[in-house]
Amino acid sequence: MMDTLLPEIDVKATKRVVEAALEKYRVLLLTQNEEELPKVTATYSLVPPSNTNAFHSSTEDIAIRNISHEQARSKYLKRMVMAVNRLGYWERAILIQRYMLQDDVFDYQVYNDLNFSERKYYRLKEKAFIKLALSLRIEVYKEGDDK
């Protein structure tokens, strides 16, 4: 009964959107200052930096001119970190190792590193993508399925 009330997610399109969001995260990390990069803990959690500095230097005054871009980037990175941290352990491990570290790695390297079969890896990865899409509210629904 509940299935009829909820629209069906287009898994393929949602996976493309999530992969694009994760790629954007990686690109934005390249432009982030070293001390502001999220740290990865041993339990595959991302720890966002805390910026509580109330003093302004001349360097900070220059940065204030471009604050909207900086704030948008930081907000996006923080939102992605929080969404990934809400996933289960293995889902986090997959996404962090595959998409959220600065090193570019392939799927086979990640599933070998985690000692998963290829099938189990892709099943967990798809599940992680759907959960991440729902958490970020970027899921894609199938259009007009009149049953």
Side-chain angles (χ1 to χ4, degrees):
M1 175 140 195
M2 190 67 144
D3 290 343
T4 59
L5 300 176
L6 297 174
E8 191 175 349
I9 291 178
D10 184 337
V11 176
K12 204 173 199 178
T14 298
K15 285 167 64 175
R16 281 194 303 270
V17 170
V18 170
E19 198 146 34
L22 288 166
E23 199 55 45
K24 179 180 178 182
Y25 174 88
R26 184 178 287 173
V27 169
L28 290 177
L29 273 184
L30 293 174
T31 62
Q32 191 77 344
N33 292 331
E34 187 77 29
E35 63 274 359
E36 294 176 3
L37 291 175
K39 309 294 185 255
V40 179
T41 65
T43 59
Y44 292 109
S45 291
L46 294 164
V47 182
S50 62
N51 299 324
T52 57
N53 187 4
F55 302 102
H56 295 280
S57 68
S58 60
T59 305
E60 290 171 335
D61 290 336
I62 293 168
I64 288 173
R65 292 182 203 145
N66 297 322
I67 199 73
S68 64
H69 174 69
E70 297 293 323
Q71 284 178 335
R73 178 181 60 208
S74 293
K75 184 178 177 181
Y76 184 86
L77 293 173
K78 186 175 183 176
R79 183 171 172 233
M80 188 66 77
V81 165
M82 291 175 67
V84 169
N85 281 339
R86 294 175 69 187
L87 300 175
Y89 178 82
W90 292 116
E91 294 160 344
R92 271 194 324 265
I94 289 169
L95 293 185
I96 290 171
Q97 280 196 24
R98 176 66 175 88
Y99 297 99
M100 302 183 84
L101 300 177
Q102 290 180 339
D103 296 336
D104 203 12
V105 297
F106 297 100
D107 286 314
Y108 74 88
Q109 293 170 306
V110 177
Y111 67 71
N112 284 330
D113 192 40
L114 296 174
N115 292 318
F116 285 162
S117 68
E118 185 176 355
R119 184 174 177 202
K120 180 178 180 177
Y121 171 80
Y122 283 109
R123 210 171 42 242
L124 279 170
K125 182 179 170 185
E126 182 175 300
K127 197 171 155 185
F129 271 26
I130 299 300
K131 286 181 178 180
L132 187 60
L134 291 169
S135 180
L136 294 170
R137 296 185 179 157
I138 59 173
E139 70 274 17
V140 178
Y141 292 100
K142 290 186 177 179
E143 303 247 349
D145 263 354
D146 293 338
K147 296 177 183 177

